[in-house]
Amino acid sequence: MPKNRFQALAESRNRDHKSINESGRRSDLFGKHVFNEEKMLQFLTNEAFDKVKSAIFQGTKIDRKIADQVAEGMKAWALSMGATHYTHWFQPLTGATAEKHDAFFDILPNGKAMEKFGGAQLVQQEPDASSFPSGGIRNTFEARGYTAWDPTSPAFVYKTTLCIPTIFVAYTGEALDNKAPLLRALHAVDQAATAVAQYFDKNVRKVHATLGWEQEYFLVDKALINSRLDISVTGRTLVGSFSAKGQQLDDHYFGVIPPRVLAFMSELEKECTQLGIPVKTRHNEVAPNQFELAPVFEEANLSVDHNLLLMDVMEEIADRHNFAVLFHEKPFAGINGSGKHNNWSLATDTGVNLLSPGSTPMKNLQFLTFFVNTIKAVDTYEELLRASIASASNDHRLGANEAPPPIISIFIGEQLNDVLDELEGVSKGKLSPEEKTELKLNVVGKIPEILLDNTDRNRTSPFAFTGNKFEMRGVGAKMNCAKPMTMLNTIMAKQLTDFKKEVDVLIDKKKLKKDEAVFNVLREYIKTSKRIRFEGDGYGIEWQEEARRRKLSFNKNTPEALQVITSKESVALFKEMDVMSEVELKAHQEVELGAYIFHIQIEGRILGEMVYNHIIPAAIKYQNLLLENIQGLKDVYGAAHKKVAESQLNILEQVGEHIFDIKKLTDEMADARKRANGMQLSNKKAQAYCNNVKPFFDKIREHSDALEKLIADEIWPLTKYREILFSK
């Protein structure tokens, strides 16, 4: 193993970076491999084009005749792009993407061959999907699951395959993926937000959620990754002594991008541009060998698809550059982890961002309406938002010194807090002329100026308003954005639905004017959601105690966080919004718990293997070296050797103690794992892994890291932090 370590180091140091030509306009390449509107106009009949556009924007169904026309046009375009196969590209509950490729090739009855692709193949397929997690919706021997075309996300050609974005459902109709619930949530928020937006503009016919994600990741030479069993299997280091130099000098953040990395980024951006992913920003992040990529905002469903596609493409291109991409939220202890901030807003089909103020008091009242309703939604359903970002890997990041805590709160800035405090004092019922003037001129009217100067940021807030959007910062780097986006849009749909009912009651029964009714309801929301607004530092015991006083949930780990998904209130919410049934919620919860169990189980097994096969043998080898030295000194000095060999004897004793402790702890961890495996209920098993198995990891690591510091460098088998983090 030490040989592997030094071979990997030599290999990584001798790498040369590829030369990438960045010249040329990105706009000329954008969407080249996407069956977008431009390609549809070229390859579809007018009838088919109109039906597809109607399906995208009005949600109408596409009949078989039109599906055949679309399939024929899509096939012709794909063949012109060099495609030989097609696939339904979907998002099973594994958190990754899945695909099964079929050739366009087919044999005719006369024995001749042709390229074939019809409406039936476009609209629906039946993959052999029995091994995908279903959370008990079906038995593993029942393989029938259906993928169904999602026309709102355009097909694309990747390498030689036409990829068709689809949903994935069971034979009985329940969602077996992350896309179907997201589409339902987006439909729900569209209906609810459109109804409220029409208070201010009768021309609004549709509201769509927008999403802009910020993808953080580590980029490490693949030889170094392959030299570490823990990183190559689990995505993170289970042991490893901190490097003397980490991120404390902040010299990597926004620094010059290393040539090898820049070559990778350039090729990645070119590929992304052709696939229609509107990547725009790239830079070094805080931790060594950590970077970030961010796109332009898009409609949420498309943005989710693009993020998943991006991660697939990143891994492939990284491999071509002899890199490995680490999406794990905390691959290295002691330095920053990686998140995927989800920047969310709502936009109308008339081109208005509903979370951006306008030039008139009425437009600003519209902004306040959606702004306050978002705060109210998060306050009411903060536990569900926490559940949507829960995972075994993200548990390591949440609450660390660079990431939001697992307590959901909202940061809006001092100036907007002042605005809400003033609105809280609005009179109940009808407003006086003076109050209307005060609100329009000095409160609502000045919001654009307030936001212009509101440059404060609170990087520890899990949910922050950043000028014209809310930023959900707890999302983990390797997560599918569909999960938090489904949750956020569902609770927003419910909140806006309730808001409209309350406003309509005041208008119809209390005879209040529309703006008076809106102000009255907003005033109550501001009062009842005050607890969720927090402007301070999100770390430390002080905030935890304050959060408890405010009765905010503090679900520190994934098993705790996931419990709320199947609560009576959650089931009622998702049923009312027609997003997920109780069966689907229970299935999703079961899958998430299962994933948590397997992640901790795998890490425990890998850690045990490293202890027995790498760490203890290296420690014994070093013991033998010390013993040989001590024996030599004894041969020369006789009884006086103890004084001469005092340091060696001390180190020998320390190594022996660590060997004893690390073996004992590893054996106890294995026993705890066996006991956990004997439990039948997933929630009990997950809690056992969390509370009884996982705590051994840090204890074992403590002894391993101590041995790393004691044992001679040429004997230590595992590539060290300083070698991994500072290789370019």
Side-chain angles (χ1 to χ4, degrees), residues 61 65 83 102 129 135 167 209 253 328 382 411 426 440 463 465 481 493 679:
K61 291 188 177 181
K65 174 190 169 186
D102 286 300
I167 62 170
Y253 190 47
H328 193 288
E382 42 95 12
F411 172 84
V426 171
K440 287 182 179 180
F463 202 87
F465 185 69
C481 298
M679 297 180 178

Side-chain angles (χ1 to χ4, degrees), residues 208-211 297 343-347 353-355 468-470:
H208 58 266
T210 62
L211 170 64
F297 282 56
N343 295 280
W344 170 88
S345 189
L346 295 170
N353 178 355
L354 294 171
L355 286 173
N468 60 0
K469 61 189 182 298
F470 278 97

